[in-house]
Amino acid sequence: RRVRNTLKFLLANTSDFDIDRDAVALPDLLELDRYALSRAAQLQAEIVGRFNPQTGLFEGGHFGRYEFHPVVSKLQIFCSEDLGAFYLDALKDRLYTTQANSHARRSAQTALWHITQAMLRWMAPFLSFTAEEAWSVMGTSPSIFLETYSHLSAPNAALVAKWRMIQDVRELANKEIESKRSAGLIGASLQAELTITCDGATFDALSSLGDDVKFVFITSKVQLIRKAGDLHIDVKASEAVKCERCWHYSEDIGHDAAHPTLCGRCTSNLFSSGETRDFA
């Protein structure tokens, strides 16, 4: 069920995407998308091994040793933790609220397309009918079993390490948000405003995202404070108004009299040049 639900999300959000027409060059993808592809490449190396250009074959990996059970487990974890609990969760705002043909949305769809293509090939040996069913929707040949494994770029270890650190902070933030939600102080996470006090590599990683950091934490506002000592996260309910389109709480709701219930970025995405995303 976890794998099928993940595939439904991937297929639905690439339904208007044409790889030949809409693809963003891999070096031009947003950083979060490049991280997701690096993580997929890491997993593929474990599952099918590394591609040998001299032999034209993938060598090593679980499949090379006929080890199917570890692949089943790792695929479930990838769908549940890497995708569902983090990447796809953070991606929803960009997919649903930015302009349909914007660089930000097409970047996300490019990454999703490559991940789906790779995933279906990993699944095919043991989820044969599910892989074939999905391939009938987005495949480029009559059958998944006529395909070889995807050629994913080598993973960027430094990028993966950076985003792992960000994920760890987000998990702590989610616990604080859930605590406030249980106490009845906030509703959805978008009603929350975070103040994160940290130092060193953690501060550098978070601050490098600029304004996009709030989209990673799925909150309406994140303030970073550099201070030596242990990581500390404060959560409070936003006092701003909720945008009826993106559900973010923003102080510029109604800045356009013609659209009194929308925030600035939504009016830009709908009626102007659109917002710019650099990292997430």
Side-chain angles (χ1 to χ4, degrees):
R1 187 182 299 114
R2 166 59 64 184
V3 174
R4 286 185 67 88
N5 286 341
T6 301
L7 281 176
K8 288 178 182 178
F9 183 96
L10 295 172
L11 295 176
N13 283 284
T14 53
S15 60
D16 67 332
F17 178 77
D18 185 320
I19 189 63
D20 296 320
R21 181 193 65 213
D22 304 319
V24 175
L26 298 185
D28 297 329
L29 296 177
L30 270 65
E31 189 174 293
L32 178 58
D33 302 326
R34 287 189 279 113
Y35 156 73
L37 285 179
S38 282
R39 180 67 193 102
Q42 280 187 334
L43 182 57
Q44 175 159 292
E46 297 174 16
I47 292 173
V48 304
R50 304 284 185 182
F51 180 74
N52 187 334
Q54 295 180 338
T55 63
L57 299 173
F58 285 88
E59 299 175 352
H62 293 301
F63 281 159
R65 298 186 294 270
Y66 296 95
E67 297 172 348
F68 292 91
H69 284 90
V71 180
V72 175
S73 176
K74 289 181 178 182
L75 178 64
Q76 289 177 319
I77 292 172
F78 181 70
C79 289
S80 176
E81 298 181 8
D82 292 280
L83 295 182
F86 181 63
Y87 180 56
L88 302 184
D89 199 26
L91 212 59
K92 290 175 183 176
D93 182 87
R94 187 163 23 125
L95 288 168
Y96 301 160
T97 69
T98 59
Q99 292 181 331
N101 200 37
S102 64
H103 175 267
R105 186 166 180 270
R106 293 307 190 195
S107 173
Q109 289 181 308
T110 300
L112 293 181
W113 187 90
H114 284 289
I115 289 171
T116 308
Q117 291 283 323
M119 265 187 59
L120 293 180
R121 290 159 168 82
W122 306 337
M123 294 165 45
F126 54 88
L127 291 174
S128 304
F129 291 102
T130 302
E132 188 78 330
E133 180 185 1
W135 188 254
S136 69
V137 176
M138 71 174 304
T140 55
S141 67
S143 172
I144 185 69
F145 299 103
L146 298 176
E147 299 297 312
T148 57
Y149 293 111
S150 298
H151 293 273
L152 298 175
S153 299
N156 184 327
L159 189 64
V160 171
K162 171 186 174 178
W163 281 92
R164 287 291 195 195
M165 186 184 303
I166 293 171
Q167 280 182 267
D168 290 341
V169 179
R170 199 182 95 135
E171 289 179 7
L172 294 174
N174 285 342
K175 291 179 181 179
E176 293 297 325
I177 292 171
E178 184 58 35
S179 176
K180 291 291 191 295
R181 182 186 289 115
S182 299
L185 300 177
I186 62 172
S189 66
L190 283 174
Q191 191 180 1
E193 294 185 358
L194 303 183
T195 300
I196 302 175
T197 304
C198 56
D199 197 10
T202 302
F203 181 87
D204 293 339
L206 294 174
S207 62
S208 72
L209 303 181
D211 292 337
D212 286 0
V213 67
K214 68 179 182 180
F215 299 116
V216 175
F217 285 86
I218 315 181
T219 58
S220 289
K221 187 177 181 179
V222 176
Q223 180 184 8
L224 300 175
I225 298 176
R226 183 162 214 157
K227 184 178 179 181
D230 294 335
L231 173 72
H232 184 72
I233 301 173
D234 286 318
V235 180
K236 72 171 186 177
S238 175
E239 298 179 357
V241 180
K242 179 181 177 180
C243 173
E244 72 171 10
R245 178 174 180 268
C246 70
W247 294 6
H248 280 250
Y249 288 73
S250 176
E251 296 177 355
D252 65 353
I253 302 293
H255 77 105
D256 185 340
H259 308 286
T261 60
L262 300 183
C263 66
R265 71 186 189 96
C266 279
T267 55
S268 178
N269 286 330
L270 288 171
F271 309 110
S272 187
S273 58
E275 66 178 308
T276 300
R277 297 285 190 93
D278 297 311
F279 298 94

